[in-house]
Amino acid sequence: MNIHTSELAALGNSLRLINTDLMKIPETSPHTKRFWYQGQESYFDIMVAMQEQEITWLQITLRGKVLSCKPPNTLWTGETEELDVPPEVAYYAASKTIRDGAEVNWEFVEDMATMLSHRSDEPILTQVHAVLAGQLNQHFETV
């Protein structure tokens, strides 16, 4: 994917916290809080689940790509079907389904970490950045 750094900054700055009451979330732990950020592009979302100020799950979707993580050690990437559906249903968020990739797309992980490095003003996004940076460090230590 490799998005230009200035574009990543603009994408990161476009993220806005959405009222999670709009989400239909299956019951999880009563201690789990969910956060949803939307960016300026269609299907550009970041969803985060937290317990006691720690991220327990996150997912980022952008331009047909998806990154999901359950810290500290589970990270996977894949694709969404948003680019495969007809335009008349493409704007429905429920039409977004995910296909896991065979291997982690580390370039996409790097791009998302870079994008979030521009959002030090938002504590949750700063934590998401730290999780991704940690995953990248683990990956590059083993390569």
Side-chain angles (χ1 to χ4, degrees):
M1 185 170 236
N2 211 351
I3 305 168
H4 192 272
T5 304
S6 63
E7 188 177 4
L8 288 170
L11 285 167
N13 288 326
S14 77
L15 288 164
R16 299 292 176 257
L17 186 62
I18 302 299
N19 182 346
T20 54
D21 293 339
L22 301 174
M23 298 171 66
K24 292 183 179 178
I25 304 171
E27 267 312 305
T28 57
S29 166
H31 305 290
T32 299
K33 290 187 178 183
R34 299 239 181 181
F35 300 91
W36 175 23
Y37 292 85
Q38 276 189 330
Q40 67 186 15
E41 294 187 15
S42 299
Y43 294 103
F44 175 29
D45 298 290
I46 298 179
M47 298 200 171
V48 180
M50 298 182 79
Q51 285 185 351
E52 298 178 15
Q53 306 302 322
E54 291 223 11
I55 294 174
T56 58
W57 173 83
L58 68 92
Q59 181 173 286
I60 302 172
T61 56
L62 174 65
R63 297 180 184 172
K65 302 286 184 211
V66 63
L67 177 161
S68 295
C69 184
K70 283 188 174 186
N73 297 318
T74 306
L75 176 95
W76 61 97
T77 57
E79 298 177 341
T80 65
E81 292 182 345
E82 73 198 58
L83 303 177
D84 300 337
V85 296
E88 54 274 3
V89 296
Y91 60 88
Y92 289 109
S95 67
K96 179 171 58 177
T97 58
I98 296 171
R99 297 183 295 252
D100 287 339
E103 295 181 12
V104 173
N105 179 344
W106 291 106
E107 184 179 300
F108 185 59
V109 177
E110 285 183 283
D111 282 348
M112 296 303 92
T114 300
M115 175 189 69
L116 292 170
S117 71
H118 299 281
R119 287 305 303 265
S120 59
D121 62 318
E122 184 68 42
I124 294 168
L125 295 178
T126 299
Q127 282 186 264
V128 173
H129 172 260
V131 167
L132 297 181
Q135 293 289 326
L136 287 164
N137 288 339
Q138 285 178 8
H139 169 68
F140 289 120
E141 286 174 1
T142 60
V143 175

